[in-house]
Amino acid sequence: MKTRYSILFLFILLSMLPTAMAVANSSATVHGATYEWNTFEPLENTIIAVNSTPSQSVVAKYGTYSFDLNSGSYTITAKYSDNDTLIYFAEEDIVITDAGNYVIDLLLYPAYSEGLITEEDLAEIAPIEESSVASEKKNQSSIGIYSIAAIMLALIAIGGYSFVHKKKGTDHVTYQPEVVAEPEEDNEEFPSDLQEVLDIIVANGGRITQKDLRSRIRYSEGKVSLMLSELEAKGYVEKFRKGRGNVIILKDRK
């Protein structure tokens, strides 16, 4: 009799073995890291929990966590606190369908004092920089349009004013005899650098080589050449080629 029960019990165990193995094989490893929302730096000492049966929780000392879960649907939560004050929070849903590794990295967002952050708040936080840039571009575009419009209005007003006054002027045209202006003397103040060159030429007897002149003046060779060309154009000196250099002769302006 005992032998019969023993055989029956062994048969039941053997029949349950495939089911137990299937359950054991369906276990999966869920792991990942926790990050701060705007710096993407790992958040250490974050408390990670999952609503398994029984529930599991772990402190991510180095910003990483790991759970062993069977098939099913779960919610993983992450909380980072400072002096018992909740600072960052994250929540992620996951469905385990078969055995294997599931990598779930958690990005923790700020938690408000009146309650945890909502999905609408997350939608506002994530694209905050993009919206700021778009707003700035829009403002700049509006300013550009207003500026162009103001310039166009100003040009139209100036053009209309000129047209009206020009028309009025042509309605009262009176003949004025042409006045021929007498040639005026060149009262332009003579540049000091040109006067310095003339003084050197006069002191040298009204004749000097360009090389010698260059050695007696503080200006560069190019500057001296330009000043001599200007003096020649004004009729003060003449340049004559001699060998590889020039001879400068003072002209008689009487």
Side-chain angles (χ1 to χ4, degrees):
M1 188 72 177
K2 291 182 179 181
T3 303
R4 180 181 299 178
Y5 283 118
S6 298
I7 294 173
L8 180 61
F9 181 72
L10 181 61
F11 177 76
I12 294 174
L13 287 177
L14 291 175
S15 63
M16 293 177 62
L17 184 60
T19 303
M21 292 179 62
V23 172
N25 290 334
S26 64
S27 178
T29 300
V30 179
H31 60 94
T34 59
Y35 299 99
E36 201 270 336
W37 74 282
N38 60 346
T39 64
F40 294 98
E41 294 291 334
L43 275 176
E44 299 182 357
N45 299 321
T46 302
I47 299 176
I48 315 296
V50 61
N51 61 341
S52 58
T53 304
S55 60
Q56 303 178 59
S57 63
V58 64
V59 177
K61 292 185 177 180
Y62 303 102
T64 59
Y65 73 95
S66 178
F67 293 119
D68 290 329
L69 299 173
N70 296 324
S71 298
S73 299
Y74 302 94
T75 299
I76 299 175
T77 59
K79 297 180 181 180
Y80 178 83
S81 302
D82 185 14
N83 294 328
D84 296 329
T85 301
L86 184 62
I87 305 299
Y88 297 110
F89 176 82
E91 187 175 88
E92 189 74 27
D93 295 327
I94 182 174
V95 177
I96 305 297
T97 57
D98 50 19
N101 288 318
Y102 292 76
V103 179
I104 304 295
D105 290 330
L106 301 173
L107 190 63
L108 278 74
Y109 288 89
Y112 295 142
S113 58
E114 64 270 14
L116 298 179
I117 194 166
T118 64
E119 292 183 0
E120 290 78 7
D121 298 326
L122 293 179
E124 294 178 359
I125 292 175
I128 187 170
E129 293 184 358
E130 295 181 3
S131 62
S132 298
V133 173
S135 177
E136 183 177 353
K137 289 183 177 179
K138 184 178 180 180
N139 292 336
Q140 292 178 352
S141 178
S142 300
I143 293 173
I145 293 174
Y146 293 146
S147 299
I148 293 173
I151 293 173
M152 292 182 65
L153 288 175
L155 291 175
I156 292 173
I158 293 172
Y161 179 84
S162 300
F163 176 79
V164 170
H165 281 263
K166 184 177 180 181
K167 188 175 185 304
K168 288 182 178 180
T170 55
D171 291 341
H172 303 281
V173 174
T174 56
Y175 176 77
Q176 296 290 340
E178 183 178 358
V179 178
V180 179
E182 295 292 334
E184 297 181 358
E185 293 183 2
D186 186 10
N187 294 325
E188 182 182 359
E189 183 179 354
F190 201 75
S192 59
D193 54 351
L194 298 183
Q195 186 62 53
E196 184 180 357
V197 172
L198 284 177
D199 292 342
I200 294 174
I201 299 174
V202 172
N204 202 59
R207 182 186 180 94
I208 193 172
T209 63
Q210 185 169 338
K211 183 178 180 181
D212 191 15
L213 174 65
R214 171 69 181 85
S215 65
R216 301 186 188 187
I217 204 165
R218 66 182 182 275
Y219 302 111
S220 65
E221 184 176 356
K223 172 70 172 177
V224 172
S225 180
L226 290 174
M227 289 191 295
L228 290 175
S229 297
E230 186 172 354
L231 287 173
E232 187 176 24
K234 290 178 178 292
Y236 285 93
V237 299
E238 285 186 79
K239 288 192 300 184
F240 297 92
R241 189 73 177 175
K242 183 178 182 181
R244 295 185 178 180
N246 293 325
V247 177
I248 313 303
I249 299 176
L250 191 66
K251 290 181 66 175
D252 186 7
R253 292 173 56 86
K254 293 182 180 180

